[in-house]
Amino acid sequence: MDRNGLITSFNSGAERIFGYREEEILGQSDVLIFTPEDRAAGVPDDEKRRAREEGRAEDERWHLRKDGSRFFCSGVMTPLMEGEFNGYAKIGRDLTGRREAEKGREDQLIHQQTLRNQALVDNAQKDEFLAIMAHELKHPLNLIHMHSEVLLRLPVVQNSAPVVKAVTAIRSSTIGQAKIINDLLDLSRVSTGKMALKMTNVDLGALVSTISEVVGAAPNGPKVSIHLPPPETLMVNADEVRLEQVVWNLLSNAIKFTPPDGSVTIKLSHASGQAILEVGDTGIGIRPEILPTIFDLFKQDRVSNFRGSNGLGIGLALVKQIILLHGGDVSAASAGAGQGSTFTVALPLSMAQQDDAGASKPLSQVLGGLNLLLVDDNADSLAVFSMLLEMEGATVQATQSPKQALGMLDQAKFDLIVSDIHMPGMDGLAFVSAVREHADYRFTPALAVTGMGRQQDIDEAIAAGFSGHLSKPVDMHDLARQVESLLNKAAN
């Protein structure tokens, strides 16, 4: 190009890229190859200015072909001075393919990021929905459960075996329904990576022995023989609560799918640095085609209308996920329908010794003589929980109003505060924060009892000032352990 930007030479490469023959473009301005928006912005003149002032002008932009189509071009313009000739040289490379590939990758990354963001929003909404659903479902379950606990403590009920059996069945059913709700929430936590493990040294042998005794002693359970040789001490580094879930699931399934005249055998051993737990039964077995998917969510072998075979197919899926989080493995084996089945769990051994924490005291020994403040906005729950705690020897002052409860702090000295969280006006988090501002109650044990049982709900409760957290429906043994632990910490 000359100094005015008129084209003086146009090689074969330029002809292929821009679509003009040399003879038809010689003498025309270089603005022909620029897009209308670049022309309006003065890009052609600015490019020549930079070439003159800086000795070189580089850019990557869209240019026009003769047919009006656009292509992406990498260009370099330099000033030329040869004798009397004074002008510019421009070299261009067609980068349309690369640009389109980059644009495709950019679009794909944006699309993937959009999908990820939407998935995060959907997961958050799902978690919130599940948490609210669990809270709403657990409220009536908690009420039924507490009423059954009260009934079981009445002499008139204890003197009637059929009534004891009926009430025990009601209590067991509420526990079973709560377990289904908790399993759903736990699976959600695993799938979103939100299940946090609290690792400690756990004696697997002692844990299995305790659970097998509890399951075997259930008054309404099936008459299945449970065989457990005296277990050796097998220490594993695990979340004790989650490990209890695993053992409880496996043992409950074995009993559920075994006829009354059958048996369940539990074996504990160790090999190659791993603790091995085997739960075998003489029950209905598993068909070969089902075995590969037995740990998949919502998968069940409905090979018969066997007693108690209905369920959601959640338990084994949760067992596998928990064991994998612990760095272990779980497998299932069966010779087929009617041939029984065996589930095997392998966990890395820990050589550390577990501290002897001692057995939990009965609830009456823990609560006897204590003065409790109970806060719950639901009148029915408040009444029956108060009655249950008083039957265990506690003195209870109860109120539906957190603000009224704050006023009661100066009227009596409370040894323990138990409060719901989701309440109108002032919720439990604001209530316990206000309690901690009272000089006499900065360190008094305060227990949150609520249907919201996600880890974030527990963390929020502890951060607000609660000493512990229990999920509804309240298990009396868990209540005893929690209260005993909180009182011991407060004493120390």
Side-chain angles (χ1 to χ4, degrees):
M1 293 174 290
D2 63 17
R3 61 185 300 171
N4 297 316
L6 301 181
I7 297 171
T8 59
S9 175
F10 206 71
N11 71 5
S12 59
E15 290 181 336
R16 288 193 300 272
I17 291 176
F18 291 97
Y20 294 96
R21 296 190 308 276
E22 184 180 38
E23 58 267 24
E24 65 181 324
I25 200 170
L26 291 180
Q28 299 202 53
S29 173
D30 66 336
V31 297
L32 281 177
I33 67 173
F34 285 90
T35 63
E37 53 267 32
D38 280 350
R39 295 176 198 172
V43 170
D45 290 339
D46 184 67
E47 187 176 46
K48 289 186 278 290
R49 179 193 60 77
R50 287 189 291 117
R52 290 193 306 272
E53 295 177 359
E54 301 172 15
R56 183 183 183 90
E58 297 183 34
D59 62 16
E60 290 187 352
R61 65 178 61 254
W62 292 96
H63 280 291
L64 282 182
R65 294 188 179 95
K66 179 182 177 181
D67 61 7
S69 62
R70 298 188 180 208
F71 69 100
F72 196 72
C73 181
S74 172
V76 178
M77 179 178 283
T78 55
L80 285 178
M81 296 185 67
E82 295 182 5
E84 295 182 356
F85 181 82
N86 187 357
Y88 307 92
K90 183 178 177 70
I91 301 173
R93 287 191 178 89
D94 185 353
L95 300 181
T96 307
R98 191 193 77 178
R99 175 61 179 173
E100 289 177 346
E102 290 175 350
K103 183 64 166 57
R105 287 194 293 270
E106 290 173 3
D107 291 343
Q108 187 175 13
L109 287 173
I110 292 172
H111 179 64
Q112 290 175 348
Q113 185 61 49
T114 300
L115 291 178
R116 281 195 293 269
N117 292 340
Q118 186 60 47
L120 290 174
V121 172
D122 291 344
N123 272 329
Q125 291 177 339
K126 179 196 67 178
D127 289 347
E128 188 65 23
F129 168 76
L130 286 175
I132 294 173
M133 179 195 70
H135 179 266
E136 295 302 316
L137 290 176
K138 283 184 176 181
H139 171 67
L141 286 178
N142 186 56
L143 200 55
I144 296 169
H145 182 78
M146 287 192 296
H147 275 296
S148 65
E149 291 284 359
V150 170
L151 287 172
L152 286 173
R153 287 162 171 76
L154 297 178
V156 66
V157 172
Q158 295 174 353
N159 293 332
S160 175
V163 177
V164 169
K165 183 177 180 181
V167 176
T168 303
I170 293 171
R171 182 179 63 175
S172 298
S173 294
T174 61
I175 294 173
Q177 292 301 306
K179 180 183 177 300
I180 291 175
I181 296 171
N182 289 331
D183 283 353
L184 281 169
L185 291 174
D186 284 341
L187 272 177
S188 175
R189 295 182 187 116
V190 171
S191 64
T192 56
K194 294 180 180 179
M195 177 176 279
L197 300 180
K198 297 180 180 179
M199 308 296 278
T200 58
N201 292 311
V202 181
D203 185 349
L204 180 60
L207 184 146
V208 170
S209 179
T210 299
I211 292 178
S212 63
E213 288 177 7
V214 172
V215 173
N220 63 326
K223 304 305 178 184
V224 175
S225 300
I226 300 177
H227 302 291
L228 173 63
E232 59 177 309
T233 298
L234 291 175
M235 302 302 297
V236 294
N237 188 243
D239 185 313
E240 186 170 8
V241 173
R242 299 305 178 188
L243 197 54
E244 285 178 353
Q245 278 183 278
V246 168
V247 176
W248 191 276
N249 260 304
L250 294 180
L251 191 52
S252 297
N253 273 356
I255 293 173
K256 180 167 66 174
F257 292 105
T258 300
D261 58 347
S263 63
V264 173
T265 301
I266 306 170
K267 296 180 180 179
L268 285 162
S269 60
H270 61 89
S272 303
Q274 290 189 312
I276 310 297
L277 166 65
E278 294 180 53
V279 180
D281 62 66
T282 59
I284 63 174
I286 307 170
R287 291 176 295 168
E289 62 269 27
I290 298 296
L291 269 175
T293 62
I294 196 67
F295 292 102
D296 291 350
L297 185 60
F298 306 131
K299 295 288 186 179
Q300 287 186 314
D301 185 7
R302 300 176 184 274
V303 69
S304 70
N305 292 322
F306 188 74
R307 160 196 53 79
S309 61
N310 292 327
L312 296 181
I314 297 172
L316 289 180
L318 184 59
V319 164
K320 182 173 183 177
Q321 295 304 318
I322 291 175
I323 292 300
L324 290 178
L325 284 175
H326 281 80
D329 193 21
V330 60
S331 60
S334 176
Q339 302 299 309
S341 58
T342 300
F343 287 82
T344 303
V345 171
L347 287 169
L349 274 172
S350 169
M351 301 308 295
Q353 294 298 311
Q354 183 184 35
D355 294 332
D356 184 10
S360 295
K361 298 177 182 178
L363 188 57
S364 58
Q365 292 186 25
V366 176
L367 295 180
L370 294 183
N371 193 19
L372 271 62
L373 175 60
L374 182 60
V375 187
D376 194 319
D377 65 303
N378 184 274
D380 292 334
S381 296
L382 190 69
V384 69
F385 201 12
S386 297
M387 186 190 307
L388 185 57
L389 295 173
E390 287 173 347
M391 293 176 75
E392 295 295 342
T395 300
V396 180
Q397 295 193 44
T399 176
Q400 293 177 249
S401 168
K403 292 182 179 180
Q404 184 178 4
L406 292 175
M408 297 166 64
L409 296 179
D410 293 322
Q411 300 173 12
K413 177 58 179 174
F414 296 104
D415 304 301
L416 175 69
I417 298 171
V418 180
S419 175
D420 191 13
I421 289 182
H422 291 272
M423 296 179 288
M426 172 184 280
D427 66 10
L429 302 180
F431 166 67
V432 77
S433 296
V435 169
R436 295 310 183 201
E437 293 178 2
H438 195 292
D440 295 333
Y441 290 93
R442 290 176 182 172
F443 306 106
T444 301
L447 185 61
V449 177
T450 173
M452 304 292 276
R454 297 172 300 176
Q455 187 59 46
Q456 68 187 67
D457 299 315
I458 298 173
D459 293 341
E460 286 178 357
I462 300 301
F466 280 105
S467 314
H469 179 286
L470 275 180
S471 181
K472 296 178 180 179
V474 179
D475 180 271
M476 293 299 108
H477 297 293
D478 289 341
L479 178 63
R481 283 195 294 267
Q482 277 263 30
V483 174
E484 183 180 7
S485 175
L486 295 179
L487 292 175
N488 288 336
K489 287 181 181 178
N492 296 328

